[in-house]
Amino acid sequence: MQFPKDLSLYPKCYEKMIWMFSGWKTHKCYAEYGIDGSLCSFRRYLSVVENHCPPLPSESVSYKLVETDTIAKIMLHMGILADPNINFGQRSSSGGPLGELLQWTDLIACLFLLGHNLYISTDKATLLQHVDLFPVGSPCPNDRQGVDLIITDIVGLRSFNSRKDFIMQHKCRIRLLDSFGTHVEFNYKSYFNAHQGDLGMKGKSRNPWGGNELKLLQYWTFFPHTPDNDFLGFAIHKSNTKPMFERNSRGRPVSLIYGKEKYMWSGSEAVINILKNLTEVHATVADAKDSSGMFSNVINHGFLNGSAVAALMKSSNIFFGLGFPLEGPAPLEAIAHGAVFINPKFIPPKSRRNTMFLHEKPTLREFTSQSPYLERFGKPHVYTVDFSNTSALENALMQAIKEKPDPFVPEEYTPEGMLIRVHVLISRDLCSNTSVWPPIHAFLPKLGVPDMSCEDVCHGSNFVCEPSFFSLINSATLMERTSISMMVFFSIAGCSPFQLANSTEPYAPFKCSLQSNTLMFSCASRPPAGRGVVRICPCRDYLLEQVAFCRNCVS
């Protein structure tokens, strides 16, 4: 049996092959995967199941998206509903947050449509019943008797504390719904504790939602904002509901304010008065009991269900943000119904360093507006405006009122776009040490500029940073397809490979230093300002409006 000459991506292949000669008889799961004592069966198992060896020439892996009849056993635990202290379910019916529930319901619908077996729990007792259905102790990473995937949220992860053996065995199968994302600096307790003073507001640098010590790709986000994490998203469903009233039938343009609880309006009197001067203002504030103050001359419909909100959006010219909530689904729903979203711009950007709402979030992301994702689309659907500049706000409103945009939903937020993305996400194997998605042909190494993150380096070339490829630039050679050795690449970077040092900083690998702790790979981490650190970055291209996929990765 022949093996490729270069096994740098499969360093344990020979070792595992040797172990298989006697080890395959130690558990029945190996035979269930077709191992019969032959070299070919060892090689096939170690390539297809554990990814420790390259595939046989006749079984080269195709990364084109194809239909599969593999039925996975997926455990879903909705921690936000299981924790009575959060009271999430009750609040959702009286004006509370709905984004997380929207994501959960869309995810469950996708998994059901894909034909998988689902074990759903919204309380700890049911969760533990499901856990006890699956055996602990099989050495096969995808034992057919076990669970294939565990999907929960950060709150829900704590519900597994009484089944630590189970969760440790299946740690690589955990996926966490994490709206704002998790950066590597907050993922590992030891790193955060050592650098706590540099990672937040002075005297208030806490990390209650971090320290989970998973691979960063095990976190699934609401928007595609953190390339270190995987993007799950949600689906925008076009409603057949009729408008509450015909758009442009009221004599004045109609605006709908984005803010369904009274506290969200606090401090916005001046901009709301500008809006009142130009439009008929509508609202859906659940807890506003009178029509005085800011609510004078505002048509407040109170709490509305989803269909009624859609009907009101179809009637509105303007959907007007007040700066909070951050990154909710409503602006996307508004432009899907033909309204123009007025997106408040933040100067300076908001982050855990300067904003109380964000000061415990496990991310250093900087929010440049209420909805940074929507900034990329711009006019006629979105106007991003500095509200402190009243003349700019007035001009933006007058222009937006004249717009007649067609309803618009980015491809990645259509039901079809989410369905195909969920299919790929649940197929992504994070239990092995080799990257199988995206395919290696998408790998594009880039040399950065001083003090810049790989996220920004790749974005500057119209690419995205792909964390799965860090192992390629952190090894002795680049992939054969590039025809560039790592020696040449580091020479371009300005140092000899024989002078390379090791580093555990999250911005490694960088000029003359490799990352010695692969758990610290990070697209988002910026080197310290002024030190001139040049990062070496793994980029890839992407599909317009479906950033999770490279251009030639799906068919």
Side-chain angles (χ1 to χ4, degrees), residues 44-55:
R44 185 177 296 111
Y45 173 85
L46 290 172
S47 64
V48 175
V49 179
E50 293 196 5
N51 290 303
H52 283 302
C53 292

Side-chain angles (χ1 to χ4, degrees), residues 33 70-75 116-117 119 134 141-151 166 170 172-175 426-431:
Y33 272 104
T70 302
I71 298 176
K73 295 185 285 292
I74 302 175
M75 187 181 297
H116 299 292
N117 292 331
Y119 301 79
F134 298 100
N142 294 304
D143 187 348
R144 293 167 184 174
Q145 301 301 313
V147 66
D148 295 295
L149 212 59
I150 301 164
I151 304 175
F166 173 85
H170 297 291
C172 62
R173 296 182 181 86
I174 298 170
R175 303 294 184 269
I426 63 172
S427 303
R428 189 169 196 170
D429 177 19
L430 297 180
C431 293

Side-chain angles (χ1 to χ4, degrees), residues 318-371:
I318 300 293
F319 190 62
F320 191 82
L322 296 176
F324 193 84
L326 298 174
E327 290 190 323
L332 267 176
E333 294 171 342
I335 65 175
H337 291 111
V340 178
F341 177 50
I342 304 298
N343 185 26
K345 186 176 184 178
F346 299 151
I347 303 175
K350 294 185 177 182
S351 72
R352 66 176 277 133
R353 300 185 191 278
N354 61 14
T355 303
M356 281 301 297
F357 174 76
L358 297 169
H359 86 281
E360 292 185 346
K361 299 289 188 289
T363 175
L364 291 169
R365 287 177 57 212
E366 294 183 337
F367 290 75
T368 52
S369 67
Q370 184 171 359
S371 184

Side-chain angles (χ1 to χ4, degrees), residues 51-62:
N51 290 303
H52 283 302
C53 292
L56 290 164
S58 60
E59 297 180 348
S60 295
V61 179
S62 170

Side-chain angles (χ1 to χ4, degrees), residues 240-427:
N240 293 323
T241 303
K242 292 182 179 180
M244 188 173 290
F245 47 85
E246 291 300 320
R247 188 172 280 150
N248 300 318
S249 66
R250 309 274 288 188
R252 300 184 75 199
V254 170
S255 63
L256 173 60
I257 290 183
Y258 179 25
K260 57 186 177 180
E261 293 185 83
K262 194 173 180 179
Y263 78 91
M264 297 177 183
W265 292 49
S266 178
S268 298
E269 292 89 344
V271 296
I272 290 173
N273 285 334
I274 293 173
L275 192 64
K276 289 177 182 178
N277 290 335
L278 297 172
T279 68
E280 177 182 281
V281 179
H282 290 244
T284 57
V285 181
D287 57 346
K289 304 303 181 184
D290 57 54
S291 57
S292 60
M294 275 190 295
F295 294 95
S296 63
N297 298 318
V298 173
I299 301 171
N300 184 21
H301 301 265
F303 176 76
L304 297 179
N305 62 30
S307 296
V309 170
L312 185 53
M313 285 178 170
K314 285 185 175 183
S315 303
S316 302
N317 302 85
I318 300 293
F319 190 62
F320 191 82
L322 296 176
F324 193 84
L326 298 174
E327 290 190 323
L332 267 176
E333 294 171 342
I335 65 175
H337 291 111
V340 178
F341 177 50
I342 304 298
N343 185 26
K345 186 176 184 178
F346 299 151
I347 303 175
K350 294 185 177 182
S351 72
R352 66 176 277 133
R353 300 185 191 278
N354 61 14
T355 303
M356 281 301 297
F357 174 76
L358 297 169
H359 86 281
E360 292 185 346
K361 299 289 188 289
T363 175
L364 291 169
R365 287 177 57 212
E366 294 183 337
F367 290 75
T368 52
S369 67
Q370 184 171 359
S371 184
Y373 173 79
L374 287 180
E375 291 181 38
R376 69 187 69 182
F377 299 109
K379 303 174 185 179
H381 304 288
V382 181
Y383 282 67
T384 301
V385 189
D386 176 8
F387 279 20
S388 67
N389 186 334
T390 55
S391 61
L393 177 58
E394 288 176 347
N395 289 335
L397 281 168
M398 289 188 288
Q399 290 181 45
I401 287 167
K402 298 175 184 177
E403 301 281 13
K404 296 180 180 179
D406 292 327
F408 170 68
V409 180
E411 174 63 26
E412 56 200 352
Y413 282 98
T414 63
E416 297 83 0
M418 183 176 184
L419 187 66
I420 193 172
R421 190 167 59 252
V422 169
H423 174 86
V424 171
L425 283 174
I426 63 172
S427 303

Side-chain angles (χ1 to χ4, degrees), residues 63-306:
Y63 296 98
K64 294 287 185 179
L65 193 63
V66 295
E67 292 185 5
T68 176
D69 58 0
T70 302
I71 298 176
K73 295 185 285 292
I74 302 175
M75 187 181 297
L76 300 108
H77 179 57
M78 302 171 68
I80 56 172
L81 294 181
D83 190 335
N85 297 318
I86 299 178
N87 205 24
F88 207 96
Q90 290 82 350
R91 290 172 60 208
S92 67
S93 61
S94 59
L98 291 173
E100 289 85 352
L101 292 180
L102 169 67
Q103 187 176 47
W104 269 112
T105 53
D106 286 344
L107 171 61
I108 291 170
C110 286
L111 295 173
F112 176 79
L113 290 172
L114 291 169
H116 299 292
N117 292 331
L118 309 181
Y119 301 79
I120 303 172
S121 57
T122 58
D123 62 85
K124 187 173 181 179
T126 305
L127 167 68
L128 297 182
Q129 290 175 10
H130 291 165
V131 168
D132 292 340
L133 293 174
F134 298 100
V136 175
S138 170
C140 296
N142 294 304
D143 187 348
R144 293 167 184 174
Q145 301 301 313
V147 66
D148 295 295
L149 212 59
I150 301 164
I151 304 175
T152 184
D153 45 43
I154 294 175
V155 175
L157 187 62
R158 298 166 185 165
S159 299
F160 289 88
N161 286 342
S162 59
R163 296 292 190 276
K164 289 185 178 179
D165 288 347
F166 173 85
I167 209 65
M168 287 306 297
Q169 175 169 335
H170 297 291
K171 188 173 182 179
C172 62
R173 296 182 181 86
I174 298 170
R175 303 294 184 269
L176 293 186
L177 272 59
D178 180 16
S179 297
F180 291 99
T182 293
H183 280 177
V184 71
E185 291 87 350
F186 306 92
N187 192 35
Y188 300 101
K189 295 175 184 176
S190 58
Y191 186 91
F192 176 80
N193 291 337
H195 299 82
Q196 187 171 351
D198 302 324
L199 296 173
M201 298 171 68
K202 187 175 181 180
K204 295 183 178 180
S205 186
R206 297 179 64 245
N207 193 28
W209 304 105
N212 299 300
E213 303 193 354
L214 302 173
K215 293 181 180 180
L216 293 180
L217 288 172
Q218 291 178 255
Y219 298 89
W220 287 358
T221 61
F222 206 61
F223 284 95
H225 47 60
T226 305
D228 292 313
N229 306 146
D230 255 332
F231 164 49
L232 173 61
F234 53 93
I236 296 295
H237 305 270
K238 291 185 178 179
S239 172
N240 293 323
T241 303
K242 292 182 179 180
M244 188 173 290
F245 47 85
E246 291 300 320
R247 188 172 280 150
N248 300 318
S249 66
R250 309 274 288 188
R252 300 184 75 199
V254 170
S255 63
L256 173 60
I257 290 183
Y258 179 25
K260 57 186 177 180
E261 293 185 83
K262 194 173 180 179
Y263 78 91
M264 297 177 183
W265 292 49
S266 178
S268 298
E269 292 89 344
V271 296
I272 290 173
N273 285 334
I274 293 173
L275 192 64
K276 289 177 182 178
N277 290 335
L278 297 172
T279 68
E280 177 182 281
V281 179
H282 290 244
T284 57
V285 181
D287 57 346
K289 304 303 181 184
D290 57 54
S291 57
S292 60
M294 275 190 295
F295 294 95
S296 63
N297 298 318
V298 173
I299 301 171
N300 184 21
H301 301 265
F303 176 76
L304 297 179
N305 62 30

Side-chain angles (χ1 to χ4, degrees), residues 363-510:
T363 175
L364 291 169
R365 287 177 57 212
E366 294 183 337
F367 290 75
T368 52
S369 67
Q370 184 171 359
S371 184
Y373 173 79
L374 287 180
E375 291 181 38
R376 69 187 69 182
F377 299 109
K379 303 174 185 179
H381 304 288
V382 181
Y383 282 67
T384 301
V385 189
D386 176 8
F387 279 20
S388 67
N389 186 334
T390 55
S391 61
L393 177 58
E394 288 176 347
N395 289 335
L397 281 168
M398 289 188 288
Q399 290 181 45
I401 287 167
K402 298 175 184 177
E403 301 281 13
K404 296 180 180 179
D406 292 327
F408 170 68
V409 180
E411 174 63 26
E412 56 200 352
Y413 282 98
T414 63
E416 297 83 0
M418 183 176 184
L419 187 66
I420 193 172
R421 190 167 59 252
V422 169
H423 174 86
V424 171
L425 283 174
I426 63 172
S427 303
R428 189 169 196 170
D429 177 19
L430 297 180
C431 293
S432 68
N433 293 321
T434 56
S435 172
V436 296
W437 181 267
I440 291 172
H441 66 69
F443 173 47
L444 296 166
K446 289 286 179 182
L447 197 62
V449 297
D451 305 338
M452 188 176 286
S453 72
C454 281
E455 182 178 358
D456 292 336
V457 168
C458 296
H459 180 73
S461 298
N462 293 318
F463 299 133
V464 293
C465 181
E466 178 49 61
S468 298
F469 293 152
F470 267 115
S471 60
L472 303 182
I473 61 173
N474 201 54
S475 62
T477 58
L478 287 174
M479 296 309 299
E480 291 181 4
R481 75 164 194 87
T482 66
S483 299
I484 304 175
S485 70
M486 205 62 181
M487 183 179 296
V488 173
F489 197 65
F490 274 104
S491 296
I492 295 171
C495 65
S496 165
F498 303 107
Q499 299 172 332
L500 293 178
N502 287 320
S503 173
T504 57
E505 295 293 347
Y507 47 86
F510 56 91

